[in-house]
Amino acid sequence: MEDTGTVVAFWALAIITIGSAFMVAAVRNLIHAVVFLVLSFLGVAGLYITLSADFVGVVQILIYSGAIAILVIFAIVLTPQAGRDNAETSMRLPAVVLSGLVATMLGYASIDTNWSISDRPGFEETASAIGVALLDKYILPFEIAAALMLVAMLGAIIIVRDEGTEGAAED
Amino acid sequence: MSVDLEHYLMVGAILFAIGLYLALAKRNFVGVLMGIELMFNAANLTLIAFSRFVESESPIDGHVFVVFVVTVAAAEAAVALAIAVLLYRVRDTVDVDKANLLKW
């Protein structure tokens, strides 16, 4: 991808994504961390669109910057006495070393490997192709994912259900 | 100057490392979850980049895989945040260091 617009978009989105991910680790307030997390998700969505993945980019904005961010904010406001502190445990230094090593290893492997790059152009549009693949080649994983969503929803409801108020409602 | 597969893989690697740091070092359960979500994003970004650049018979499969990963990540987030709320209700804390009931 050589055209100037794509190059500028890539570098701007990469800086937004990594900068906000870094800020999630750096800020002291959890609510501020969620705001930077949403910004990082939006940057990743932009990177998807520079890779001509339009459907996945929209899914990213809907599910990650929408639904999952709201879930995280709910979890923060439902635990009020726990504080908004975004502090580290005593394992901070080993975590820095380990994640640095992982980044070095993944970066080295991605540069060192000789990928079989294809010169095909970007996708025209992906939604219909993904839909056909989901209902044809990947029909069984699709059905299992539907069952998984149902089980996860029921599980979340049963986990947080307050036993005391349920008994009171039956009386 | 051009943007190649390696650029996207490097962004994915750095994003994964930041997510790993959050998941390992944060004291708050919700902070750990944010790190896990960032790692999911890093993995998805590399999948989409491979789907765009690497030789393949059906390149759209990478996108389908990302859709499944997003589905499972959403289910995981719902259950994990429910566990955070339950942990707070039972122990009055979401500090992962204080959730040590099973520690020997």
Side-chain angles (χ1 to χ4, degrees):
Chain A
M1 297 190 292
E2 268 92 36
D3 59 308
T4 323
T6 315
V7 175
V8 171
F10 169 79
W11 285 107
L13 289 164
I15 290 166
I16 288 171
T17 306
I18 292 173
S20 356
F22 182 78
M23 288 304 287
V24 174
V27 291
R28 291 270 66 89
N29 189 318
L30 266 182
I31 299 284
H32 298 171
V34 177
V35 174
F36 280 111
L37 189 74
V38 170
L39 194 57
S40 185
F41 288 159
L42 290 174
V44 173
L47 285 175
Y48 289 161
I49 291 170
T50 65
L51 287 165
S52 72
D54 49 0
F55 179 75
V56 177
V58 172
V59 165
Q60 167 85 6
I61 293 174
L62 281 175
I63 307 290
Y64 274 103
S65 359
I68 288 181
I70 294 296
L71 270 179
V72 171
I73 290 173
F74 258 104
I76 293 170
V77 298
L78 285 174
T79 57
Q81 302 299 316
R84 302 276 179 270
D85 189 25
N86 192 22
E88 275 86 3
T89 62
S90 55
M91 299 302 277
R92 182 175 192 173
L93 191 64
V96 170
V97 172
L98 186 61
S99 44
L101 284 176
V102 166
T104 315
M105 184 192 74
L106 290 176
Y108 178 76
S110 62
I111 289 169
D112 192 51
T113 311
N114 189 18
W115 307 108
S116 55
I117 301 292
S118 107
D119 55 354
R120 66 168 178 276
F123 301 104
E124 287 288 318
E125 52 92 36
T126 58
S128 61
I130 291 173
V132 169
L134 272 180
L135 290 177
D136 180 26
K137 195 172 165 187
Y138 295 102
I139 182 72
L140 186 63
F142 181 73
E143 298 292 345
I144 293 171
L148 175 79
M149 293 305 279
L150 178 67
V151 171
M153 189 180 73
L154 287 176
I157 291 170
I158 289 167
I159 285 172
V160 295
R161 191 179 58 176
D162 198 338
E163 310 278 333
T165 54
E166 189 204 20
E170 281 171 8
D171 288 339
Chain B
M1 198 168 160
S2 68
V3 178
D4 298 317
L5 174 64
E6 283 81 3
H7 292 82
Y8 286 96
L9 295 185
M10 288 304 286
V11 173
I14 297 168
L15 203 59
F16 188 90
I18 296 174
L20 184 65
Y21 168 75
L22 283 165
L24 288 175
K26 284 297 172 190
R27 192 182 286 276
N28 195 305
F29 192 96
V30 182
V32 174
L33 277 184
M34 288 191 222
I36 293 170
E37 298 301 336
L38 277 179
M39 286 196 279
F40 273 123
N41 266 280
N44 283 350
L45 182 61
T46 55
L47 281 171
I48 295 287
F50 280 129
S51 164
R52 168 70 179 82
F53 286 110
V54 175
E55 195 68 60
S56 167
E57 282 173 24
S58 55
I60 207 73
D61 284 4
H63 292 218
V64 177
F65 204 86
V66 167
V67 171
F68 283 127
V69 171
V70 169
T71 312
V72 176
E76 174 262 356
V79 174
L81 294 168
I83 291 172
V85 172
L86 186 69
L87 178 69
Y88 173 74
R89 196 183 288 161
V90 174
R91 315 247 357 214
D92 275 336
T93 178
V94 283
D95 185 341
V96 287
D97 276 356
K98 291 194 180 123
N100 55 1
L101 208 61
L102 287 174
K103 202 172 177 181
W104 187 52

